[in-house]
Amino acid sequence: PPARSSGPRVGKRCPDCGSYAVELHDASGASICTECGAILEESAIVSSVEFSEGDGGGPGSMIGTFVGAGSRTARPSGGGAMGGGGARYGMSRESREATLAAARRRIQDVAIRLRLGGEFVDTAHRLYTVAIERNFVMGRRSSHVTAACLYIACRQRKSQHMLIDFSDALQVNVYTLGTCFLKFRRLLSLRLEIVDPALYVYRFAAHLDLGVKANAVALTALRIVGRMKRDWLVAGRRPAGICAAALLIASRAHGFGRSQRDVARILRVCGVTVQTRLKEFEATPSSRLSLDQFQTMEIGGGGGPPAD
């Protein structure tokens, strides 16, 4: 008869005899049927820890496998026939944990500079963990990957932060960060919503030295952005250029002599881009309205897309 185990019953059914008298053997981690002796499962994960004595009285080693909380496969912990391989695996696990801890510190550092909350840090850290699992960090600067993860978190949570903000915080070329962001987004097949230019109106209106009229200028700029959407001027354009043109038109409508260079400098866009957006808006019926008419008249539906 099979030797009975002192382990707990696991509630499994033996496929050979149909008995539910299946117990877990703590030492080996095997599930054994106490009626017929069939071994149902071997090398199961157990909480007990055993050690073996090293060769020639050397240092002992732990027997079994290590399974981390986020691991997909078990990692050997003992030396055995691998001749010290377990030590290398152990260092790999510790190195991964150290890398994730260092990444979280870098993410928190950038988040503090940009005044981002803890929810952005948690989201970016999860993305960084995925980047490590997908080997996306190989051959790339950690600061670039950190910025890409945080920027994706901002896009997902519809924050007002732009990629140029991360460029200023890290002193890295914005196009370098943009390339890293696009490749990471493509790797994860992320579908991020298009940024609404209206998100940036209030933020940059405060930098134009408009005084007490800053709120009124921002409201007018929001109406201009809304009209641009109806006239298909926003589709395919970067939000910073749309926001710059709207703020320039609104500030001039309220009597402020702001130039294209002023808004281009504040929003970090090219002056030619602002000029192009102004010409596109000039071709719409709204450009021929006075300030009072624009603010009081109901804006109707725009025309079809430019391709029509």
Side-chain angles (χ1 to χ4, degrees):
R4 300 188 63 87
S5 170
S6 60
R9 295 182 180 270
V10 296
K12 294 183 179 180
R13 183 176 182 272
C14 178
D16 295 339
C17 66
S19 173
Y20 286 91
V22 179
E23 294 184 353
L24 177 64
H25 192 265
D26 293 334
S28 63
S31 298
I32 305 173
C33 177
T34 58
E35 296 295 330
C36 65
I39 299 177
L40 308 184
E41 184 178 2
E42 293 181 317
S43 300
I45 299 176
V46 295
S47 58
S48 60
V49 180
E50 295 184 359
F51 295 88
S52 63
E53 184 178 355
D55 298 335
S61 60
M62 187 172 63
I63 300 176
T65 57
F66 174 83
V67 181
S71 302
R72 298 181 179 178
T73 57
R75 297 176 178 178
S77 298
M82 296 179 62
R88 291 195 295 269
Y89 278 98
M91 287 299 296
S92 177
R93 173 177 61 85
E94 294 174 0
S95 175
R96 182 178 185 273
E97 294 175 352
T99 300
L100 289 175
R104 188 173 188 88
R105 289 193 296 269
R106 286 193 298 267
I107 292 173
Q108 289 175 336
D109 180 59
V110 178
I112 291 174
R113 299 183 198 178
L114 299 179
R115 298 181 180 179
L116 294 172
E119 63 275 11
F120 292 91
V121 175
D122 294 337
T123 302
H125 188 253
R126 288 193 294 268
L127 290 170
Y128 201 98
T129 304
V130 176
I132 292 179
E133 293 177 352
R134 299 287 190 90
N135 290 329
F136 185 77
V137 297
M138 299 296 294
R140 292 182 173 87
R141 293 184 178 271
S142 58
S143 58
H144 299 175
V145 182
T146 298
C149 294
L150 262 177
Y151 181 62
I152 291 176
C154 291
R155 289 283 297 271
Q156 291 177 338
R157 296 180 176 273
K158 297 183 180 179
S159 171
Q160 298 181 2
H161 293 81
M162 305 170 66
L163 199 59
I164 190 68
D165 298 324
F166 294 90
S167 175
D168 292 340
L170 298 173
Q171 294 298 304
V172 179
N173 186 283
V174 65
Y175 295 103
T176 302
L177 295 182
T179 301
C180 183
F181 157 70
L182 292 175
K183 290 183 178 180
F184 191 41
R185 187 189 67 173
R186 192 179 303 116
L187 175 67
L188 301 183
S189 301
L190 292 176
R191 303 177 67 91
L192 300 176
E193 295 184 6
I194 298 176
V195 178
D196 189 352
L199 291 174
Y200 306 127
V201 169
Y202 280 100
R203 171 186 170 182
F204 291 108
H207 296 282
L208 289 175
D209 297 329
L210 303 175
V212 295
K213 288 189 175 181
N215 188 59
V217 173
L219 289 175
T220 303
L222 287 175
R223 290 182 61 86
I224 294 174
V225 171
R227 186 61 207 182
M228 287 180 171
K229 289 180 181 178
R230 292 175 175 84
D231 289 329
W232 295 86
L233 300 183
V234 176
R237 276 78 172 180
R238 292 187 176 182
I242 297 295
C243 181
L247 281 174
L248 179 59
I249 297 172
S251 60
R252 289 179 175 178
H254 284 271
F256 293 96
R258 299 294 180 265
S259 64
Q260 296 182 17
R261 181 178 299 178
D262 294 334
V263 295
R265 174 178 52 85
I266 293 175
L267 280 95
R268 306 293 183 87
V269 294
C270 180
V272 178
T273 301
V274 180
Q275 185 177 3
T276 303
R277 300 292 89 82
L278 292 176
K279 289 182 179 180
E280 293 174 347
F281 183 75
E282 185 180 1
T284 64
S286 299
S287 64
R288 294 184 287 273
L289 300 177
S290 65
L291 178 59
D292 293 336
Q293 291 174 334
F294 187 80
Q295 290 180 338
T296 56
M297 292 180 59
E298 182 69 23
I299 300 180
D308 286 352

